[in-house]
Amino acid sequence: MTVEEPRVVGPGFHAKVYAMVRRVPPGHVATYGQIATLLGSPRVARQVGFALAGAWRAEATNPVPWHRIINAKGGISTRGDVGLGLDQRALLEDEGVEFKANGTVDLSRYRWHFPDVEFPDDPVDPG
DNA sequence: CCTGTGACCGAAG
DNA sequence: TCTTCGGCCACAG
């Protein structure tokens, strides 16, 4: 029997992504696929990227550290907007994240692991 | 209601 | 190493 897995995405999906991204502390990074996996399915990585692309819209009400999200190769993907990429790199370096000569981040060193995989309705206040 | 836009991942050859 | 392909939906106007 094939067990159809429920779609992880749905109304408010962006909000979940933002909430997850906000949990990444300074000096650490996470990948699109990682966020997607934590949200329930590694296949929605693209959806995460889409959501993140519009993160600036949410920044109006809640700052989203979108710059801490990079691709699976440890590189920065800004899909054409190079200026944004440079900005992202600058922001990460400012937090202490070092970039290798090839412009990528050592994920084995900076990748952040989430303490849990649940999504509390109430925002977690660090500290 | 319909359309356009959008920052990925992993596997295979 | 490179290319190709399947997966996949919210949001704004």
Side-chain angles (χ1 to χ4, degrees), chain A residues 63-84:
Chain A
V64 180
W66 56 268
H67 59 274
R68 292 182 196 141
I69 309 303
I70 59 183
N71 63 32
K73 302 180 198 119
I76 294 174
S77 295
T78 44
R79 198 70 172 191
D81 195 330
V82 182
L84 185 62

Side-chain angles (χ1 to χ4, degrees), chain A residues 10-99:
Chain A
F13 176 73
H14 284 198
K16 281 188 179 180
V17 174
Y18 302 150
M20 193 63 77
V21 173
R22 291 194 200 101
R23 290 187 169 190
V24 182
H28 288 272
V29 298
T31 67
Y32 298 94
Q34 188 178 1
I35 298 296
T37 300
L38 289 170
L39 287 178
S41 177
R43 293 182 155 148
V44 298
R46 195 159 21 173
Q47 269 21 274
V48 173
F50 295 161
L52 221 40
W56 61 270
R57 295 189 293 214
E59 284 188 354
T61 51
N62 295 310
V64 180
W66 56 268
H67 59 274
R68 292 182 196 141
I69 309 303
I70 59 183
N71 63 32
K73 302 180 198 119
I76 294 174
S77 295
T78 44
R79 198 70 172 191
D81 195 330
V82 182
L84 185 62
L86 293 174
D87 218 18
Q88 182 168 4
R89 173 170 177 161
L91 286 167
L92 288 174
E93 290 184 321
D94 191 48
E95 294 182 350
V97 177
E98 296 177 28
F99 279 73

